[in-house]
Amino acid sequence: MLDKNELATLLPGVDVKIPSEGDDVTKYISRWSNTRLSLPAAIITPVTETDIISTIHFTSARKEENLKVIPTGGGHGTFVPIDSRTLYLDLRNFKSIHLDEDAETVTFGGGVVSGEVLKYLGERGWYTSVPNSNAVGMVGYVLGGGSSPFNAVKGLAIDNLIMMRVITAGGVVVKVGPESVGEEADLFRALCGAGFGFGVVVQVTLKTWRVENLGMQEDKVWTRKLIFPPTAIRTAAGTFVKIQKPDDRMVVVLLLMRAPPSAPRPGAPMIMLNASFFGPVTDAEEAAVALFDESITSQAIVADTGAVSVSSMNDFSAPLDRHGDFKEFYSAWSPGLSAETIVTAFDRWLAFGDATPEAKAASFMVFAAKGTKAMLEHDPESQKFFPRPLRSRNVFVQAVPWWTAEKAEDSSRTWAAETMALVNAPQHDRLVEGNGLADRDRLTAHAANLSKGIDLSTTWATSQLKEIRRIKGIWDAGNLFWNPIVDGV
Ligand SMILES: Cc1cc2nc3c(=O)[nH]c(=O)nc-3n(C[C@H](O)[C@H](O)[C@H](O)COP(=O)(O)OP(=O)(O)OC[C@H]3O[C@@H](n4cnc5c(N)ncnc54)[C@H](O)[C@@H]3O)c2cc1C
């Protein structure tokens, strides 16, 4: 066990916790999901960069204990193993945010979460690439690639990354960006899509854009929401499929979830079809014309048109940000789906809930359709570690098993894996047959959505896995930081 006094002397003024055997881990650490969560060796909440450097030197000097430093931001990574070898580095004190209007950039600290950046910028009339939840750590998001509603018009977060300030395993501070050369350029590339476990990122600069240039009415995002009963799944699926290659300014989401406890019929399956448009209302109405078709809206329980400020655009997903329970993400980027596949996925989701009471209330599925224009414009040479083939695929599918008791773990994972096989039918069949599947066909997920036991060759091509290991060897030869490729998921 680590010596608290030694750490306290080393890190004056820093909150250091060393749990005792048998303690409840959730008293010390709150994470989005309790999967892979057990008592760490210590939880350290540094205040300065010097505290981080001291922690790194302390850990490196105790090689025989094989400790892993895990810097954390929003605590949303379900794939990160927290256990007795973990030095949990909580970056909550690194909260600065600064907009530079002249440079059109925003710079934020390593512990900032997405809602903080979104609101800070939104209040000043600006926006940047952010995830669809307010509670995700911005650094964790960027390191995984960073897929946002702005993919089609601006590209991924890593396509708009100007600078990362990183404290390396050697305890040295480096600033890397697109202009870096040599080994620093390698490090920067790794941070673009395969970035977990290369150092502690204390500061990030991303490009920003003026909201007014989107041409939205009153600077608000136009929205159209239809909610269908389960009996209308064919209509909902067919409508989604019709607009699954949307205007670049539109994002269409089909959400399968159950009504919350506060609803008139708690637990009832709900099918929500939602379009958000980042542009003028007239263009929005044209792009989303299918969502006004009387033969479709007549089957919906709710059909609403609205507008929401950029700052508040993620507020709708707040119920999904709740910490605790057990949750995982299984995702696949698809060129497009048939209505039949969506209906089958819906039926299987219902059957899974009925057979697994511990996962019935909260497990959900998302089908999100976006354009691909700016995605394809960036990284044509595939230098970064976001899988190039995914940039041309319009539909992002996600199955999220959310269970309340450990005994539902296996059935939850089985449902999610089978759902991924369903939406990836061609790839899946070939994988099962064991035929030499080309990397291009195998790649279906990006790093932000890793999950326990995931086949990493679905996220990075064989040559990329080798390259990531090589870069890791340069910057963290002693393997101080947990990394999914070197340490496994
Ligand atoms: C509700 C929800 C919605 C999401 N929406 C999206 C989305 O729209 N688009 C998308 O691309 N992804 C999305 N994600 C996935 C998310 O981007 C990744 O899970 C991300 O890694 C989470 O980062 P975190 O800081 O919250 O998690 P953590 O568990 O704290 O960290 C995750 C990983 O990032 C590393 N890390 C975090 N901060 C630092 C740092 N400062 N320095 C070095 N390493 C660090 C950790 O070491 C760990 O390996 C979503 C996840 C959830 C749960």
Side-chain angles (χ1 to χ4, degrees), residues 203-483:
Q203 214 174 47
V204 175
T205 302
L206 288 179
K207 279 188 198 158
T208 51
W209 309 281
R210 284 186 190 275
V211 173
E212 66 183 9
N213 290 344
L214 291 169
M216 303 188 297
Q217 188 169 306
E218 293 173 6
D219 283 345
K220 289 195 168 156
V221 185
W222 179 93
T223 60
R224 175 80 178 155
K225 181 167 76 178
L226 304 180
I227 300 181
F228 296 96
T231 47
I233 180 62
R234 279 180 192 285
T235 303
T239 311
F240 176 83
V241 167
K242 225 182 263 174
I243 47 177
Q244 66 181 333
K245 293 190 193 303
D247 182 295
D248 286 324
R249 295 162 294 173
M250 187 158 91
V251 176
V252 184
V253 174
L254 180 70
L255 179 63
L256 310 181
M257 60 181 288
R258 288 183 184 268
S262 55
R265 289 184 53 218
M270 284 166 55
I271 304 159
M272 205 182 291
L273 186 57
N274 195 71
S276 306
F277 195 91
F278 299 91
V281 169
T282 43
D283 295 359
E285 287 168 350
E286 200 178 311
V289 68
L291 303 183
F292 291 89
D293 181 331
E294 168 64 22
S295 68
I296 292 167
T297 55
S298 60
Q299 296 183 52
I301 312 161
V302 172
D304 270 349
T305 307
V308 62
S309 69
V310 171
S311 300
S312 308
M313 71 182 193
N314 279 347
D315 291 359
F316 78 98
S317 66
L320 304 182
D321 293 336
R322 184 161 62 77
H323 280 204
D325 294 340
F326 304 92
K327 314 162 187 135
E328 272 178 358
F329 276 153
Y330 287 72
S331 65
W333 292 65
S334 162
L337 294 169
S338 69
E340 207 43 53
T341 298
I342 296 175
V343 172
T344 305
F346 175 76
D347 290 341
R348 290 189 187 175
W349 168 67
L350 287 183
F352 159 64
D354 289 340
T356 320
E358 304 82 4
K360 182 169 183 170
S363 297
F364 63 94
M365 275 203 76
V366 177
F367 301 83
K370 298 175 195 172
T372 58
K373 186 168 170 282
M375 295 277 280
L376 288 167
E377 284 166 3
H378 288 278
D379 196 26
E381 310 272 299
S382 197
Q383 294 293 304
K384 299 173 187 170
F385 289 96
F386 185 92
R388 178 77 198 164
L390 271 49
R391 288 178 180 265
S392 62
R393 299 187 195 161
N394 287 89
V395 182
F396 176 70
V397 187
Q398 198 164 51
V400 185
W402 178 327
W403 63 101
T404 53
E406 288 189 44
K407 65 176 181 179
E409 179 172 325
D410 287 346
S411 48
S412 294
R413 290 207 171 108
T414 302
W415 163 68
E418 285 177 0
T419 303
M420 289 303 104
L422 172 73
V423 299
N424 267 318
Q427 286 98 328
H428 176 69
D429 291 347
R430 291 167 68 186
L431 275 173
V432 169
E433 286 163 18
N435 291 338
L437 190 67
D439 273 338
R440 214 197 136 71
D441 297 328
R442 194 187 292 272
L443 294 166
T444 49
H446 72 292
N449 294 139
L450 296 179
S451 52
K452 186 178 174 187
I454 189 175
D455 174 356
L456 293 173
S457 73
T458 61
T459 302
W460 295 289
T462 318
S463 57
Q464 288 184 312
L465 287 166
K466 208 171 144 200
E467 178 65 355
I468 296 163
R469 279 178 185 275
R470 185 187 71 80
I471 301 172
K472 175 82 169 155
I474 296 171
W475 287 96
D476 184 14
N479 205 13
L480 184 81
F481 298 107
W482 176 83
N483 174 281

Side-chain angles (χ1 to χ4, degrees), residues 2 6-7 10 53-62 87:
L2 295 174
E6 193 183 345
L7 276 165
L10 181 77
I53 293 167
S54 301
T55 304
I56 287 173
H57 289 318
F58 170 84
T59 316
S60 310
R62 306 167 73 101
L87 270 185

